[in-house]
Amino acid sequence: MTYELTILVLNALLCLAFPWAYNYAYAKQPGVGGKRLMGNRDALPERTGMAARGVRAHQNHLENLVPFAIIVLTAHVIGVSNSVTVACATIFLAARIAHGGLYLAGITRVPGINGVRSLAYFVSLFSMLVYASQLFLA
């Protein structure tokens, strides 16, 4: 398996990890509990805090995973793999981990950097676009 495909699989595993994180937080919310989550989930209270942020982070990751997967798989099929695609795949994964972690934790700024979560998002987006450019240069 190529390095880029490995990174794609790691992104898929990250996607699978989100529900564990936000459902754990949701189970801790008053009026929810783990047993109610195992049922039909009728009449459960609205998600708040980390549980709500986790759902949004998961949705954001899904929205970015689909085009990333298309780019990686297309590159694989046409035989495009180089130092740029390797770097872009690595940066994409690191930025998505940072974005998801910051989103779950509710962190939008760190000292000296306003919008750090948005910065992580745009880094992942830019890395995807640079990766895609390699498809047209082949």
Side-chain angles (χ1 to χ4, degrees):
M1 179 164 34
T2 66
Y3 180 84
E4 296 91 336
L5 288 175
T6 301
I7 294 295
L8 180 58
V9 170
L10 292 174
N11 271 284
L13 293 174
L14 175 62
C15 193
L16 290 174
F18 276 112
W20 292 354
Y22 65 73
N23 281 325
Y24 176 79
Y26 188 42
K28 300 293 184 190
Q29 273 186 219
V32 179
K35 288 184 180 180
R36 289 192 68 196
L37 281 178
M38 290 185 211
N40 289 332
R41 299 182 183 191
D42 294 331
L44 285 174
E46 187 175 328
R47 293 174 187 270
T48 61
M50 186 176 136
R53 289 189 308 271
V55 169
R56 292 190 302 270
H58 187 211
Q59 181 66 38
N60 186 277
H61 189 67
L62 282 168
E63 291 167 358
N64 285 274
L65 182 56
V66 170
F68 180 72
I70 292 168
I71 293 164
V72 170
L73 294 172
T74 301
H76 182 72
V77 168
I78 65 174
V80 174
S81 178
N82 56 43
S83 60
V84 174
T85 62
V86 167
C88 287
T90 304
I91 291 167
F92 181 84
L93 177 60
R96 295 310 308 168
I97 290 170
H99 182 269
L102 291 164
Y103 216 142
L104 285 169
I107 298 169
T108 58
R109 68 184 309 255
V110 296
I113 305 175
N114 287 328
V116 68
R117 189 183 75 218
S118 294
L119 178 64
Y121 166 78
F122 284 112
V123 166
S124 72
L125 180 63
F126 183 71
S127 70
M128 203 177 352
L129 294 173
V130 172
Y131 195 137
S133 74
Q134 296 301 295
L135 303 178
F136 300 102
L137 299 175

